[in-house]
Amino acid sequence: MADMIRARGLVKRYKEVEALRGLDLDVPEGTVLALLGPNGAGKTTAVRCLTTLLVPDEGTAEIAGVDVLADPQGVRRRIGLSGQYAAVDEHLTGFENLTMVGRLYGLDKRRARERGRELLARFDLSDAGDRPSKTYSGGMRRRLDLAGALVAEPPVLVLDEPTTGLDVRARQQMWDVIRELVASGATLLLTTQYLEEADRLADDIVVIDHGQAIAHGTADELKAQTGGERIEVVIGDRSQVDTAVRLLREVTVGEVQIDERTLVGAVADGPRSLRRLLDGLEREGVGVLDIGLRRPTLDDVFLTLTGHVADAGDRSGEITETDHPGSALHLEKESQA
């Protein structure tokens, strides 16, 4: 498969801060690449460089075979962008928002209106399509913004943290929409700080920290780097935690993670280690509320790779802007400026 997104050695500096430090990316046609990292890792800076909103200081990038630096207008015609903040006009209805985007992309009035109605139906917004978008919930605004990115049916979609700030139900709805887009053949670059999101949606994952890729692989490949299964045990009596930690250390490899009464440790032989621990806990009279084996999560992966959790919120690697560029509508306005 040909790469629809390809970047080599992207570097972006803001005075003394290096937001990107030689980032390489490859996204084959019809696949989803998740760019995973905490706030400040450089994800949004990478997106802005790839979508022509920022000019990298070093490196090269191509979208659908078009050079980002040599032909930014050509790139804009081939992408749809949905940003962290839904870029919709609150005073227009959902239908009017989509129609306006269609007209900006050069569709005639009839086709723009047809496309608007098609997308409202696709994103389950038909009933709200003639209401001002300021009356929409956060999840509805996000779906409308994503619909706007699809008006011109671009071959490449870039979603920058599309579910940030949404509740569980709205996030699940967005995941369903994204799965449908992928099933229809879209090529997708997804940035996220939600590890579960990357695990569920992505064919491939690049873990980014402080502006550079620190790991690359499928979810299963990254999980394998943490070394086997985990035993997780919840102790009933806080006074017995020290005893439980001692017993867990006898059957685990590496450090035991302690969060109040919840203990987690990696094991080389899951069932045998679990049996030994259960025997020891019973022998010592330690009360257990819950115990079991689990596979390592991407949270475990990130902690192993970086030494800090994925929601650490370290913003030293990225400069944010108050005027978020938004969606494809913004790209078209930028192109006309």
Side-chain angles (χ1 to χ4, degrees):
M1 292 183 292
D3 288 334
M4 293 296 281
I5 301 177
R6 180 178 175 87
R8 288 292 178 270
L10 288 183
V11 174
K12 184 61 183 178
R13 304 181 185 91
Y14 297 96
K15 297 182 180 179
E16 72 280 1
V17 175
E18 197 168 34
L20 292 179
R21 304 176 182 182
L23 183 66
D24 296 339
L25 295 174
D26 295 284
V27 189
E29 184 177 4
T31 66
V32 181
L33 174 69
L35 196 58
L36 174 66
N39 288 331
K43 305 185 302 297
T44 295
T45 298
V47 163
R48 291 175 180 171
C49 288
L50 291 171
T51 57
T52 75
L53 297 176
L54 285 177
V55 178
D57 296 307
E58 298 177 24
T60 62
E62 293 182 356
I63 304 292
V66 179
D67 190 288
V68 170
L69 296 178
D71 187 7
Q73 296 279 23
V75 169
R76 291 167 180 168
R77 286 192 291 268
R78 290 165 173 80
I79 63 173
L81 171 63
S82 180
Q84 293 180 29
Y85 308 97
V88 300
D89 189 321
E90 294 186 345
H91 301 289
L92 299 180
T93 66
F95 173 68
E96 289 168 341
N97 266 282
L98 297 180
T99 302
M100 178 178 64
V101 173
R103 296 290 284 159
L104 287 170
Y105 268 116
L107 303 182
D108 62 47
K109 186 175 181 179
R110 179 179 176 181
R111 180 54 186 154
R113 292 173 63 85
E114 289 176 348
R115 187 65 176 148
R117 291 300 181 191
E118 290 171 5
L119 289 167
L120 287 173
R122 182 174 186 179
F123 285 84
D124 195 25
L125 291 170
S126 292
D127 290 345
D130 295 319
R131 281 171 29 204
S133 59
K134 65 182 177 182
T135 67
Y136 288 13
S137 67
M140 293 169 68
R141 288 167 60 89
R142 283 294 175 83
R143 297 205 305 275
L144 181 61
D145 184 52
L146 182 52
L150 294 175
V151 166
E153 302 181 85
V156 177
L157 289 172
V158 181
L159 309 184
D160 188 14
E161 301 196 21
T163 64
T164 296
L166 298 185
D167 60 29
V168 174
R169 182 174 180 274
R171 183 173 299 161
Q172 185 62 59
Q173 288 177 331
M174 282 296 293
W175 287 352
D176 291 342
V177 168
I178 291 169
R179 289 191 187 97
E180 291 176 8
L181 294 174
V182 174
S184 67
T187 300
L188 179 61
L189 174 64
L190 169 74
T191 79
T192 181
Q193 57 182 307
Y194 296 118
L195 301 160
E196 181 185 9
E197 189 161 84
D199 200 358
R200 290 194 181 194
L201 299 176
D203 300 297
D204 211 7
I205 298 170
V206 171
V207 182
I208 182 173
D209 195 34
H210 296 289
Q212 57 188 349
I214 59 173
H216 177 210
T218 65
D220 286 340
E221 288 169 346
L222 293 176
K223 289 176 182 179
Q225 296 185 29
T226 64
E229 296 172 304
R230 264 78 172 138
I231 289 179
E232 182 173 309
V233 55
V234 182
I235 306 304
D237 187 342
R238 193 183 303 273
S239 67
Q240 295 181 313
V241 168
D242 290 343
T243 302
V245 169
R246 173 174 55 80
L247 293 170
L248 185 56
R249 283 174 175 160
E250 292 176 0
V251 301
T252 57
V253 293
E255 292 295 319
V256 171
Q257 301 172 38
I258 306 170
D259 183 7
E260 296 184 350
R261 292 178 294 145
T262 300
L263 315 176
V264 180
V267 291
D269 185 342
R272 289 185 181 181
S273 299
L274 180 59
R275 188 178 303 112
R276 286 176 55 198
L277 178 61
L278 283 169
D279 290 343
L281 293 169
E282 184 178 2
R283 185 177 62 251
E284 297 279 354
V286 177
V288 175
L289 294 179
D290 189 24
I291 189 169
L293 283 173
R294 65 173 176 83
R295 296 185 65 198
T297 66
L298 286 175
D299 287 293
D300 300 319
V301 173
F302 202 88
L303 183 61
T304 299
L305 292 171
T306 68
H308 60 81
V309 295
D311 60 353
D314 178 3
R315 307 200 67 81
S316 62
E318 183 172 332
I319 302 299
T320 60
E321 299 176 14
T322 56
D323 53 337
H324 183 78
S327 67
L329 171 59
H330 180 94
L331 292 178
E332 189 65 20
K333 288 180 177 177
E334 286 279 318
S335 69
Q336 296 174 357

